[in-house]
Amino acid sequence: RELAVRNSVATEYGTTDTNEVNYLLDGSPDEASRRGRPWTSTGWRSRDGVIEIDTLGQFNPGEAITTRETWRLADHGETLVIERDVSSSRGIDHQHIVYLRE
């Protein structure tokens, strides 16, 4: 199984980056390139539908970033909640992201 995600991120420089990532959800690593740098993601889907994704990437030469995300649906599938922990040389950042179905 695979989860395809496309997102757009506006940068502080006024540009917009669009990324398309395919996560494998059977626990096998998926190696990709983002902005010309190597990234490895590993994903799992539990029986109750919760998806966990671990990512290891290189942001700057020699600087690794690790991300752990937990994705779950709430409100009978009307809301996607993502808990994200990002660890880098700048420290640890926790993000709580909520998407509502239109």
CSV table of all heavy atoms in Angstrom, one decimal, residues 7-12 14-19 35:
chain,number,residue,atom,x,y,z
A,7,ASN,N,1.7,18.6,-1.7
A,7,ASN,CA,1.5,19.8,-0.9
A,7,ASN,C,2.3,21.0,-1.6
A,7,ASN,O,3.2,20.8,-2.3
A,7,ASN,CB,1.9,19.6,0.5
A,7,ASN,CG,3.4,19.3,0.7
A,7,ASN,OD1,4.2,19.3,-0.3
A,7,ASN,ND2,3.8,19.2,1.9
A,8,SER,N,1.8,22.1,-1.2
A,8,SER,CA,2.5,23.4,-1.6
A,8,SER,C,2.9,24.2,-0.4
A,8,SER,O,2.1,24.3,0.5
A,8,SER,CB,1.6,24.2,-2.5
A,8,SER,OG,1.2,23.5,-3.7
A,9,VAL,N,4.1,24.7,-0.4
A,9,VAL,CA,4.6,25.4,0.7
A,9,VAL,C,5.1,26.8,0.2
A,9,VAL,O,6.0,26.8,-0.7
A,9,VAL,CB,5.8,24.7,1.4
A,9,VAL,CG1,6.4,25.5,2.5
A,9,VAL,CG2,5.3,23.3,1.9
A,10,ALA,N,4.6,27.9,0.8
A,10,ALA,CA,5.1,29.2,0.4
A,10,ALA,C,6.3,29.5,1.3
A,10,ALA,O,6.3,29.2,2.5
A,10,ALA,CB,4.0,30.2,0.7
A,11,THR,N,7.4,30.0,0.6
A,11,THR,CA,8.6,30.2,1.3
A,11,THR,C,8.7,31.7,1.7
A,11,THR,O,8.0,32.5,1.2
A,11,THR,CB,9.8,29.8,0.5
A,11,THR,OG1,9.9,30.7,-0.6
A,11,THR,CG2,9.7,28.4,0.0
A,12,GLU,N,9.7,32.0,2.6
A,12,GLU,CA,9.9,33.4,3.0
A,12,GLU,C,10.5,34.2,1.8
A,12,GLU,O,10.5,35.4,1.9
A,12,GLU,CB,10.9,33.4,4.2
A,12,GLU,CG,12.2,32.8,3.9
A,12,GLU,CD,13.1,32.7,5.1
A,12,GLU,OE1,13.5,33.7,5.6
A,12,GLU,OE2,13.3,31.5,5.5
A,14,GLY,N,9.2,34.3,-1.2
A,14,GLY,CA,8.1,34.6,-2.1
A,14,GLY,C,7.9,33.5,-3.2
A,14,GLY,O,7.1,33.7,-4.1
A,15,THR,N,8.6,32.4,-3.1
A,15,THR,CA,8.4,31.3,-4.0
A,15,THR,C,7.5,30.3,-3.4
A,15,THR,O,7.3,30.2,-2.2
A,15,THR,CB,9.7,30.7,-4.4
A,15,THR,OG1,10.3,30.1,-3.2
A,15,THR,CG2,10.6,31.7,-5.1
A,16,THR,N,6.9,29.4,-4.2
A,16,THR,CA,6.0,28.4,-3.7
A,16,THR,C,6.6,27.1,-4.2
A,16,THR,O,6.9,26.9,-5.4
A,16,THR,CB,4.6,28.5,-4.3
A,16,THR,OG1,4.1,29.8,-3.8
A,16,THR,CG2,3.7,27.4,-3.7
A,17,ASP,N,6.9,26.2,-3.3
A,17,ASP,CA,7.4,24.8,-3.7
A,17,ASP,C,6.3,23.8,-3.6
A,17,ASP,O,5.6,23.8,-2.6
A,17,ASP,CB,8.5,24.4,-2.7
A,17,ASP,CG,9.8,25.2,-2.8
A,17,ASP,OD1,10.0,25.8,-3.9
A,17,ASP,OD2,10.5,25.4,-1.8
A,18,THR,N,6.2,23.0,-4.6
A,18,THR,CA,5.2,22.0,-4.7
A,18,THR,C,5.9,20.6,-4.6
A,18,THR,O,6.9,20.4,-5.4
A,18,THR,CB,4.3,22.0,-5.9
A,18,THR,OG1,3.6,23.3,-5.9
A,18,THR,CG2,3.3,20.9,-5.9
A,19,ASN,N,5.6,19.8,-3.7
A,19,ASN,CA,6.2,18.5,-3.5
A,19,ASN,C,5.2,17.4,-3.7
A,19,ASN,O,4.0,17.6,-3.3
A,19,ASN,CB,6.8,18.3,-2.1
A,19,ASN,CG,7.9,19.3,-1.9
A,19,ASN,OD1,8.9,19.4,-2.6
A,19,ASN,ND2,7.8,20.1,-0.8
A,35,ARG,N,14.3,18.6,-3.3
A,35,ARG,CA,15.2,19.8,-3.5
A,35,ARG,C,16.6,19.3,-3.7
A,35,ARG,O,17.6,20.0,-3.3
A,35,ARG,CB,15.1,20.7,-2.3
A,35,ARG,CG,13.8,21.4,-2.1
A,35,ARG,CD,13.8,22.4,-1.0
A,35,ARG,NE,12.5,22.9,-0.8
A,35,ARG,CZ,12.2,23.6,0.3
A,35,ARG,NH1,13.1,23.8,1.2
A,35,ARG,NH2,11.0,24.1,0.4
